[in-house]
Amino acid sequence: RRGKLLPWEKFTSSSFGDYPIIVWTLLQGPARTFPGIWSAYRLHQGGVFSPLSTEIRLQNNIELWNCLESITPPYLTSDVVVGTVRTLTMYVAALGKAGKYGKALKYLRRTWIEIERLPVTAPERRQLWWRALEALIMPRMQGARNRWDRWKTKR
């Protein structure tokens, strides 16, 4: 956008340079989009996917959400916090799968702090806390929650 400089110093923590710039630009006023999806991939021997581990990709996503929170106005903070909580929960699960329990507990605590910032009811907050805890405790037991829920409803 013309007339307003990009706050480059806020983008330095994120490895995703284009996404924060797009969000910041859209926050400045109306925009137009292309009629279709345009994508570019870097093709390499491994295909088009990133060679980074899940843990590192999620770490980069957490930094992206931090960056986005620094540029979004207060009325959008809860939207950013939802994304942060979701990503932190996935990160806790990845750390648990990797056996990095000390680091997982640290990020579980941070997840709970972020959950406190959400404008939700107390029962919804408790449910989010439990979901985050389950991400640490049961990362290898996919479907265990669904089986538990089905068992509870049959009783």
Side-chain angles (χ1 to χ4, degrees):
R1 300 251 177 221
R2 294 182 185 158
K4 193 164 185 181
L5 295 175
L6 284 167
W8 290 109
E9 68 283 352
K10 293 184 177 187
F11 301 155
T12 58
S13 67
S14 175
S15 60
F16 299 93
D18 55 346
Y19 194 66
I21 291 170
I22 292 167
V23 170
W24 184 85
T25 303
L26 291 172
L27 289 169
Q28 305 313 308
R32 293 181 183 243
T33 61
F34 291 111
I37 297 172
W38 292 29
S39 299
Y41 294 98
R42 291 188 195 115
L43 296 174
H44 52 80
Q45 291 175 342
V48 294
F49 296 102
S50 170
L52 299 175
S53 69
T54 301
E55 184 181 333
I56 291 175
R57 282 186 311 199
L58 288 169
Q59 217 170 14
N60 289 340
N61 283 330
I62 291 167
E63 285 306 316
L64 171 63
W65 285 111
N66 291 338
C67 177
L68 291 176
E69 186 167 3
S70 75
I71 63 172
T72 54
Y75 69 89
L76 291 174
T77 299
S78 63
D79 298 328
V80 175
V81 173
V82 168
T84 304
V85 166
R86 184 175 177 271
T87 305
L88 282 168
T89 302
M90 289 187 291
Y91 188 50
V92 167
L95 290 170
K97 277 185 179 178
K100 299 178 180 178
Y101 298 109
K103 195 171 183 181
L105 287 171
K106 173 185 167 188
Y107 278 92
L108 176 64
R109 184 173 185 273
R110 180 169 169 201
T111 305
W112 285 345
I113 290 168
E114 292 293 323
I115 289 169
E116 284 296 321
R117 297 176 55 206
L118 289 171
V120 296
T121 64
E124 291 170 327
R125 185 169 284 117
R126 278 193 301 275
Q127 184 179 20
L128 289 170
W129 285 338
W130 280 110
R131 294 278 177 159
L133 183 60
E134 284 177 346
L136 175 61
I137 294 173
M138 300 189 302
R140 295 178 188 269
M141 299 172 67
Q142 295 181 354
R145 180 176 184 78
N146 293 337
R147 288 191 299 274
W148 171 257
D149 288 342
R150 280 194 306 266
W151 181 79
K152 282 192 331 188
T153 56
K154 287 180 183 178
R155 288 179 50 185

